[in-house]
PDB file of all heavy atoms in Angstrom:
ATOM      1  N   VAL A  79      -6.457   6.395  -9.710  1.00  0.00           N
ATOM      2  CA  VAL A  79      -5.696   7.253 -10.610  1.00  0.00           C
ATOM      3  C   VAL A  79      -6.572   8.405 -11.098  1.00  0.00           C
ATOM      4  O   VAL A  79      -6.131   9.550 -11.197  1.00  0.00           O
ATOM      5  CB  VAL A  79      -5.115   6.436 -11.786  1.00  0.00           C
ATOM      6  CG1 VAL A  79      -4.479   7.339 -12.831  1.00  0.00           C
ATOM      7  CG2 VAL A  79      -4.096   5.417 -11.273  1.00  0.00           C
ATOM      8  N   THR A  91       0.576  12.380  -0.231  1.00  0.00           N
ATOM      9  CA  THR A  91       0.087  12.988   1.008  1.00  0.00           C
ATOM     10  C   THR A  91      -1.286  12.435   1.367  1.00  0.00           C
ATOM     11  O   THR A  91      -1.560  12.131   2.533  1.00  0.00           O
ATOM     12  CB  THR A  91       0.025  14.525   0.857  1.00  0.00           C
ATOM     13  OG1 THR A  91       1.306  14.989   0.470  1.00  0.00           O
ATOM     14  CG2 THR A  91      -0.392  15.205   2.140  1.00  0.00           C
ATOM     15  N   ASP A 101      -3.563   2.106  14.726  1.00  0.00           N
ATOM     16  CA  ASP A 101      -3.712   0.697  14.385  1.00  0.00           C
ATOM     17  C   ASP A 101      -2.832   0.352  13.190  1.00  0.00           C
ATOM     18  O   ASP A 101      -2.370   1.231  12.468  1.00  0.00           O
ATOM     19  CB  ASP A 101      -5.166   0.354  14.084  1.00  0.00           C
ATOM     20  CG  ASP A 101      -5.473  -1.127  14.359  1.00  0.00           C
ATOM     21  OD1 ASP A 101      -4.536  -1.880  14.734  1.00  0.00           O
ATOM     22  OD2 ASP A 101      -6.630  -1.543  14.198  1.00  0.00           O
TER      23      ASP A 101
END
Side-chain angles (χ1 to χ4, degrees):
V79 172
T91 305
D101 206 357

